[in-house]
Amino acid sequence: MVDEETPLTGGKVYGTKTMQFNIERIRLFGLVGAVLLLLVGTFVSTYAVVFPAKDNPSTFLEKLMGAPSDFDSEKTFIYQFFGFNHTCSMLDFNPSKTISALIIMLHIMPMDFFIICHYLRITSQTDPKYDNLKKVTKIFSPLQFAFMTYFFLVFVNSPDGVYGTQAGTNKFIAHYTPYMLWQLGMVMMAIQQCWYIALKDMIPLSWVTKEMMWTYCQMMMVMFVVYTVFCWAFIVGSPLWPTTSDHPVGQFFAKCMMFGWEILSIPIPAYFAYLESSDGNDTQFTFKELQ
């Protein structure tokens, strides 16, 4: 019997498989993977990492029972460099680094798949109102795919050099650059997503306007620029403002920038992806051999 999965063409049987799903579920899974990465990395660093190295550290079970952690975050290169720790400091030392390098694939792989699907979703639109978005997507999506795919390099290049040396700074640059490009990719994704649902008139929250979404994109762009300039200013030896513990106001604003970026780039898109995943805007994929 012939059905939609076994069509006859020229006397030969070619397999066909049709899949229908909402690609926002893939983006949601990838963003949740990023949250899981931070949670697991923090747990492992707190209870299993020994840094700096020392004799007779407490065991994992002893720490679970209340023994103090053997991870001294104030001895990390990043803490000495900036005067405070970034969330990635909880992912930079083994065994946390190895476990995090495995978990990050739960972020990278779904996001790469989503980028491909979203590219196809946009470029397949026929309404002229999508023309400008299609032009931008043809530039943004390949860059996003590359930046997301190589995000794992943050674990290849650990910021564990000696503070105050050029070699240590070079190791930090090699660590920070993939993260910076990942941030840029997330800005591009935010622009594409907001633009798309605005054109589609499918904003998932009734009180959110197109102007509010554009403001969100502007905040992402400004935050990215300030964040990048802030980091590179430290790298070249000319900090924009002091952030050590004896400058609490400067440190406070630096931490607000760091955590503010993380909120803009992960929880907010994840919430929208969750809402959009149930809006009925499914995508259908058909796999069929042609010969």
Side-chain angles (χ1 to χ4, degrees):
M1 182 178 69
V2 179
D3 60 26
E4 65 175 353
E5 294 191 1
T6 59
L8 290 173
T9 305
K12 295 182 179 180
V13 178
Y14 295 98
T16 299
K17 183 68 175 179
T18 299
M19 300 174 61
Q20 181 172 314
F21 57 90
N22 192 308
I23 68 172
E24 291 298 331
R25 290 184 184 139
I26 303 170
R27 183 164 70 110
L28 175 61
F29 187 87
L31 293 170
V32 169
V35 176
L36 181 66
L37 170 70
L38 293 175
L39 293 177
V40 173
T42 299
F43 175 82
V44 176
S45 287
T46 302
Y47 295 101
V49 170
V50 178
F51 180 83
K54 66 178 183 180
D55 296 328
N56 301 317
S58 301
T59 66
F60 176 76
L61 289 177
E62 287 173 339
K63 290 167 192 168
L64 285 178
M65 297 301 293
S69 174
D70 288 309
F71 177 59
D72 187 350
S73 61
E74 295 188 3
K75 293 294 193 299
T76 65
F77 179 92
I78 287 179
Y79 184 92
Q80 296 177 77
F81 198 58
F82 292 108
F84 66 96
N85 268 306
H86 188 273
T87 48
C88 74
S89 296
M90 305 304 291
L91 316 175
D92 291 334
F93 301 91
N94 275 318
S96 180
K97 183 171 75 168
T98 298
I99 295 172
S100 297
L102 296 172
I103 294 177
I104 199 173
M105 292 303 152
L106 298 179
H107 173 64
I108 291 175
M109 293 172 65
M111 296 300 280
D112 273 350
F113 186 37
F114 172 79
I115 290 168
I116 294 171
C117 292
H118 187 61
Y119 174 85
L120 296 173
R121 176 167 67 176
I122 297 300
T123 55
S124 65
Q125 301 294 328
T126 57
D127 193 317
K129 69 180 182 181
Y130 292 95
D131 286 351
N132 288 332
L133 176 56
K134 288 163 73 173
K135 293 175 183 177
V136 170
T137 295
K138 289 177 180 178
I139 298 172
F140 278 14
S141 290
L143 292 174
Q144 285 177 56
F145 187 86
F147 297 160
M148 184 63 65
T149 299
Y150 290 104
F151 184 32
F152 74 92
L153 288 175
V154 295
F155 298 113
V156 176
N157 306 310
S158 296
D160 55 2
V162 177
Y163 174 67
T165 66
Q166 187 59 49
T169 301
N170 290 342
K171 294 192 74 171
F172 173 74
I173 293 172
H175 171 78
Y176 168 64
T177 301
Y179 178 74
M180 177 187 69
L181 295 176
W182 173 84
Q183 287 181 302
L184 179 56
M186 296 301 286
V187 172
M188 292 177 176
M189 184 175 291
I191 294 171
Q192 285 179 290
Q193 285 297 112
C194 291
W195 196 346
Y196 171 72
I197 62 175
L199 290 175
K200 195 82 172 178
D201 288 323
M202 294 187 70
I203 301 174
L205 295 171
S206 60
W207 54 270
V208 174
T209 65
K210 295 179 181 180
E211 290 74 21
M212 291 170 66
M213 290 199 301
W214 174 234
T215 299
Y216 164 74
C217 291
Q218 290 176 314
M219 290 175 61
M220 287 278 287
M221 290 186 282
V222 170
M223 187 77 79
F224 170 72
V225 171
V226 174
Y227 201 124
T228 303
V229 173
F230 172 84
C231 289
W232 281 100
F234 270 90
I235 290 170
V236 300
S238 301
L240 296 182
W241 69 83
T243 57
T244 52
S245 58
D246 54 338
H247 295 88
V249 175
Q251 188 179 86
F252 172 77
F253 279 109
K255 289 183 177 181
C256 285
M257 178 180 64
M258 177 184 71
F259 290 114
W261 164 263
E262 291 177 352
I263 292 171
L264 288 175
S265 63
I266 302 295
I268 292 178
Y271 182 56
F272 269 71
Y274 168 73
L275 296 175
E276 292 174 55
S277 68
S278 303
D279 63 5
N281 186 28
D282 289 0
T283 300
Q284 188 177 87
F285 290 86
T286 299
F287 300 85
K288 178 181 178 181
E289 286 187 322
L290 300 179
Q291 61 178 359

